[in-house]
Amino acid sequence: MNHEKLYHIGFSQKDLGTSPPTAALLCGDPERTRRIARETGEVSCLATLSENRGLHSYLCQSPTGNKFIAATSGMGAPSLSIVVNELASVGIRTIIRVGTSGGIAAQIKVGELVISSSALCRQGAAQDIAPLEYPAAADPYVSVALMEAANHLGISAHLGVTASVDTFYEGQERSSSVNPQLLRSMRGITEEYRALRILNYEMEAGTLFKMGLIYGFAAGCICAVLAERLVAESVDLSVKLRAEQNAVQVGLMALEKLKGA
């Protein structure tokens, strides 16, 4: 185990105490991470581990006494790859990304959740970790725990394939980008992905999944749907907080299920 403070996450295995956690909920947004630790009723925040570089991390405990880390990955796969590497270095063996996404498939509605069983991985960071053709698959036990948690809580969730891409605008075929020249390879890609039964766009899961398979930790991803791409490109802020809270609740219950497995 690493007893030196890691350069980016700003804490070490020693900071986790004598009974350290082995699981983490990982968010791109530091504010979402803070809300998990500080504003989720059943969660106790035991310590602020670090707020280094905006990568806020907190040592937390569930009502049943299970400890976990609420951590921030930052936006995109390159930042996530650094944080995940360092979390694995301090002993984290289960990582669930709790994120946001845009729905592609017709059945995916704003405010619902998507649980990623695997990802079409169009991410440069992942190619530094494994060959392009290496599978980007979630741990099946994590995916099942997430789906069971959503069903138990009565929260609408869909399980399937996610498109993990590197950019929010061009890579997700947003015409609202200020870039006047969308590459030919991006034109029509949303419809193509829809035909391939891909459920949603997001920007981190594919790299996380490949890292999990190679590093030997269990990886999962649950995302709140904030844009319904058949209807609009823009994020629906009216559902953002509630949908994110639902994703957090499902993630927390899944960790409890996995701990008891």
Side-chain angles (χ1 to χ4, degrees):
M1 293 298 178
N2 198 322
H3 292 284
E4 298 295 325
K5 290 187 184 295
L6 278 296
Y7 182 69
H8 299 91
I9 61 174
F11 62 91
S12 71
Q13 197 272 343
K14 186 168 66 174
D15 295 317
L16 302 179
T18 56
S19 179
T22 59
L25 294 184
L26 188 64
C27 306
D29 180 5
E31 179 59 22
R32 190 180 314 130
T33 306
R34 185 195 65 79
R35 287 199 300 268
I36 290 174
R38 303 288 189 186
E39 297 180 11
T40 304
E42 65 271 31
V43 171
S44 301
C45 183
L46 303 179
T48 297
L49 295 169
S50 176
E51 294 184 343
N52 187 46
R53 294 171 173 255
L55 300 173
H56 297 185
S57 296
Y58 306 91
L59 179 60
C60 302
Q61 184 170 281
S62 74
T64 60
N66 291 328
K67 293 179 183 177
F68 68 95
I69 294 176
T72 308
S73 69
M75 288 187 289
S79 180
L80 174 134
S81 71
I82 295 169
V83 171
V84 167
N85 188 300
E86 295 186 2
L87 287 175
S89 178
V90 299
I92 298 303
R93 294 294 175 260
T94 300
I95 299 176
I96 297 177
R97 165 167 150 70
V98 180
T100 57
S101 70
I104 295 174
Q107 70 269 27
I108 309 296
K109 305 302 179 186
V110 166
E112 296 180 335
L113 306 179
V114 172
I115 297 163
S116 304
S117 59
S118 59
L120 181 152
C121 187
R122 211 178 74 220
Q123 297 184 311
Q127 294 183 48
D128 285 353
I129 295 162
L132 183 64
E133 62 271 23
Y134 191 88
D139 181 274
Y141 295 102
V142 176
S143 296
V144 168
L146 287 166
M147 199 67 211
E148 287 180 345
N151 289 338
H152 179 82
L153 293 168
I155 296 171
S156 181
H158 306 263
L159 177 68
V161 182
T162 286
S164 286
V165 302
D166 274 340
T167 55
F168 182 82
Y169 289 101
E170 289 89 345
Q172 299 182 32
E173 201 189 0
R174 278 187 163 89
S175 60
S176 56
S177 169
V178 296
N179 183 350
Q181 185 57 47
L182 191 65
L183 294 176
R184 281 177 291 181
S185 59
M186 295 295 103
R187 299 176 202 165
I189 200 159
T190 303
E191 185 57 41
E192 181 178 315
Y193 285 175
R194 190 176 293 122
L196 293 173
R197 301 185 185 277
I198 292 173
L199 301 184
N200 63 317
Y201 280 123
E202 60 81 70
M203 296 174 61
E204 287 90 13
T207 297
L208 174 66
F209 293 165
K210 289 193 177 189
M211 293 180 80
L213 290 171
I214 293 164
Y215 288 31
F217 66 82
C221 178
I222 182 165
C223 284
V225 177
L226 303 185
E228 193 175 328
R229 293 299 303 276
L230 278 172
V231 176
E233 291 184 359
S234 59
V235 170
D236 188 342
L237 294 176
S238 68
V239 303
K240 184 176 186 294
L241 186 58
R242 172 49 55 187
E244 288 180 353
Q245 289 172 338
N246 284 343
V248 168
Q249 292 297 326
V250 171
L252 287 169
M253 181 171 284
L255 287 185
E256 292 291 295
K257 287 176 174 289
L258 292 163
K259 194 72 174 180

